Amino acid sequence: TSVTAAKIQVNGVHLHYQQTGEGSHAVLLLPGMLGSGQTDFGPQLKSMSKQLFTVVAWDPRGYGKSIPPSRDFPPDFFERDAKDAVDLMQALKFKKFSLLGWSDGGITALIAAAKYPNLIHKLVVWGANASVTQEDVRIYNGIRDVSKWSEKVKKPLEELYGHKYFSETCEAWVDGISRFAENSDGNICQQLLPDIKCPTFIIHGQKDPLVPQAHAEYIHKHIKGSRLLLMPEGKHNLHLRFAEDFNREVENFLR
């Protein structure tokens, strides 16, 4: 089946999303920083079972084709994304759904699963963190200047946004996420993890240069009954690089 794309008004903004499959199990894919369904989830939209799942990939406000508005990073931007994501799925008439969150989208998914427990069926997160350490801030500052990014990662985002929006939004993101390091324990959503009651699967690439493994272990430890899978060769984009293995693991968990 084909992938359809559309926009729907949610919380005063027009959110862009892609949808495919006709399965009874609805799944929302949540992209990372600067990400969109199109740039972040090609292999999932293409290859996840269309019989078992109805897959939705969204562009959070200010990202992808959900512009305007321009992206900003107030202190509650993750909570805002979590509410937008859940309200989007309800606007699309899904009563219950699972969340697959990558990186920033993983943080958003953790918050959504904790705050809207009656709506979330299952949860998968990878490349996510529940706090920001000084070491993390150092890593983020290392990606602040997009001209230093690899051509492969940079190109699709420059095509999507144009250089100016791409580079300015990346800088704003680094400032926005680094602010969490000023909180006690660098907290983003640590206090919410025990509120997550749905089955949870955490995947971590052991060669992830952006998110140290301790973050995945912390999340695993604080979500009761959660499962942790370490991928020895996985980096931050393990769902793209090892799409077949990733999709198989996730589908087995979601069944």
Side-chain angles (χ1 to χ4, degrees), residues 47-85:
S47 303
M48 280 183 74
S49 167
K50 315 283 184 197
Q51 288 72 45
L52 291 176
F53 306 109
T54 297
V55 180
V56 178
W58 81 310
D59 297 1
R61 61 169 75 201
Y63 284 165
K65 294 178 178 164
S66 296
I67 303 173
S70 291
R71 182 70 183 186
D72 62 349
F73 300 94
D76 66 343
F77 73 91
F78 284 118
E79 280 83 3
R80 182 181 67 183
D81 282 351
K83 183 167 172 30
D84 282 349

Side-chain angles (χ1 to χ4, degrees), residues 234-247:
K235 292 186 180 174
H236 197 58
N237 65 344
L238 55 87
H239 66 297
L240 303 176
R241 177 82 176 68
F242 300 104
E244 213 172 296
D245 293 346
F246 174 88
N247 288 357

Side-chain angles (χ1 to χ4, degrees), residues 8 20 30 35 37 54 64 67 91 121 129 142 166 207 219 231 233:
I8 188 165
T20 187
L30 299 96
T54 297
I67 303 173
H121 183 42
N129 46 301
F166 171 41
K207 294 186 175 173
I219 294 168
M231 293 178 68
E233 293 304 309

